[in-house]
Amino acid sequence: MKLRCAVLDDYQSVAGTAADWSPVADDVEVVGFADHCATEDELGARLAEFDIVVTLRERVPFPATLIERLPRLRLIVASGMRNASIDHAAAERHGITVCGTASTATPPVELTWALLLGLARGLVAEANSLREGGPWQSTVGADLYGRRLGILGLGKIGGRVAAVGRAFGMDVVAWSENLTAERAEEAGAGFIASKEELLETSDFVSVHLVLSDRTRGLLGAKELALMRPGSYLVNTSRAAIVDQDALLDVLRRGAIAGAGIDVFDIEPLPGDHPMRSAPRLLATPHLGYVSQANYAAYYGDAVEDIRAYLDGKPVRRLG
C-alpha cells in the first residue's frame, strides 16, 4: 500500500509540475490542497489519513497538540532550513522525522524592491487610473537617489537589499541589536547606533529581521511615531515584528507616506480584514518566496527528502 503525502497550501496548484515526483511515484500518493485550513481542528481532520506532509515556510503551525492528533504522520518536509512553527521536540517524541529544503534569498529581495518602487512612484494608482480612463498623472513620485534607506536587519536578505539601494544612489544605513560597525561596513551600509535614530532619519525603512522574542513587536506605536510624515515602511519579513494596529493607525492618519506589506497577522487575510482596505498601503499576499526558482528548489528537494526517508537515509534533517 502506498504512503499518502499531503502538500499544503498549494494555492496555484503547481506543486505537481514544479518538480519531478517520479522518484517516489511507486511508493507515495501525492495529494495537493489549494486551500488553507484556518484552524487546528480543520487541519487535524485533513491530515488524519496522511503519512507525509509537505508544508511551505512557517505558514502552518505544527504544535504538539496537532502532532498528537496525527498518529499516522511519519515525515514533515518544510521548505527552507529553519522552521520555528514546528514543535521539533514533539515531533521527535512521536517518531516523526522533520526535513528541510534549499531556498534562495533572491525572491524576497526582488519583492522588497517591487514594493518600495511601487510605493515611491504610485504605480498601482497610476496604472489603475490609466486603465480606467482616469486623470493623466495624478501623483508626484518620491525620488530614491540621495534619499536614506534604513535597513532593520543586515543578514543575507538585508545585505542584498542594501546593495540595490547603493545602486540607486541611496544613502544606505542599517541597525539590528547585534550589528556592529564593522559588519555594516562590510555590507556597504552605514552603522546606526539605535533603531530610534534609524526611524527618525530614514526616508525608506525596510524590515529584514528574523522573528524572535526580541523582535516581536519591535516596531510599535512609539517607534512608528518616530518616522517622518513623508517616509515609507516596507515589511517582507514577518508581520509580528510590526504592531499591526499601530501600523493601521499611522496609515489612516497619514503619519507616514505609505507602507508596502507582504506579511500579515492572519494568512490568508479574511475578506473583512482592515489591511484589505487601509489607505496608503501597497499589499501583496505573502509573495516574498513565491517564484519559479524557489518552488523548483522547494518541491525538488521535497521529493529528494521523501525518497531518502523511504530509503532509510533521511537528509536535511531539522530540529
Side-chain angles (χ1 to χ4, degrees), residues 266 268-277:
I266 303 172
L269 278 180
D272 59 352
H273 195 286
M275 280 288 187
R276 287 188 179 268
S277 56

Side-chain angles (χ1 to χ4, degrees), residues 286-305:
H286 205 154
L287 298 178
Y289 62 90
V290 181
S291 76
Q292 294 174 354
N294 243 5
Y295 270 29
Y298 290 165
Y299 293 120
D301 280 5
V303 174
E304 289 184 7
D305 289 348

Side-chain angles (χ1 to χ4, degrees), residues 58-308:
E58 297 174 335
R59 176 175 292 156
V60 178
F62 278 83
T65 50
L66 174 60
I67 289 172
E68 289 165 0
R69 299 169 65 167
L70 304 174
R72 278 187 58 167
L73 187 59
R74 300 267 62 88
L75 173 66
I76 299 174
V77 178
S79 59
M81 289 302 295
R82 180 179 62 231
N83 194 306
S85 69
I86 298 172
D87 188 328
H88 294 280
E92 184 176 1
R93 287 197 305 271
H94 289 269
I96 299 169
T97 300
V98 182
C99 297
T101 74
S103 64
T104 173
T106 301
V109 172
E110 294 173 351
L111 183 69
T112 294
W113 281 100
L115 289 171
L116 195 152
L117 289 165
L119 285 168
R121 300 305 296 268
L123 291 185
V124 174
E126 294 288 6
N128 287 344
S129 180
L130 185 140
R131 284 182 172 273
E132 296 165 5
W136 184 263
Q137 300 182 4
S138 59
T139 63
V140 179
D143 296 284
L144 302 189
Y145 183 84
R147 306 290 291 280
R148 171 164 282 190
L149 170 64
I151 299 176
L152 291 169
L154 200 59
K156 184 184 297 184
I157 295 174
R160 294 187 184 186
V161 169
V164 178
R166 292 197 307 275
F168 275 114
M170 302 184 78
D171 171 27
V172 181
V173 298
W175 174 88
S176 70
E177 193 168 286
N178 296 320
L179 183 65
T180 64
E182 292 75 19
R183 168 68 186 110
E185 184 179 1
E186 290 173 1
F191 176 68
I192 294 291
S194 70
K195 68 174 183 290
E196 289 80 10
E197 182 182 355
L198 182 143
L199 293 168
E200 288 173 339
T201 63
S202 296
D203 301 293
F204 298 87
V205 175
S206 193
V207 180
H208 302 288
L209 294 162
V210 174
L211 180 62
S212 67
D213 290 339
R214 291 187 301 178
T215 61
R216 187 179 300 274
L218 185 75
L219 300 186
K222 178 181 176 182
E223 289 76 20
L224 294 177
L226 299 174
M227 294 182 65
R228 300 173 178 180
S231 63
Y232 299 86
L233 175 69
V234 176
N235 185 11
T236 58
S237 182
R238 290 291 183 270
I241 296 172
V242 181
D243 183 289
Q244 302 292 279
D245 290 335
L247 176 59
L248 284 167
D249 178 61
V250 296
L251 290 172
R252 288 166 177 159
R253 292 190 292 107
I256 63 174
I261 303 298
D262 186 49
V263 287
F264 305 92
D265 55 353
I266 303 172
E267 295 185 8
L269 278 180
D272 59 352
H273 195 286
M275 280 288 187
R276 287 188 179 268
S277 56
R280 304 175 182 85
L281 178 66
L282 175 55
T284 48
H286 205 154
L287 298 178
Y289 62 90
V290 181
S291 76
Q292 294 174 354
N294 243 5
Y295 270 29
Y298 290 165
Y299 293 120
D301 280 5
V303 174
E304 289 184 7
D305 289 348
I306 295 169
R307 184 69 266 166

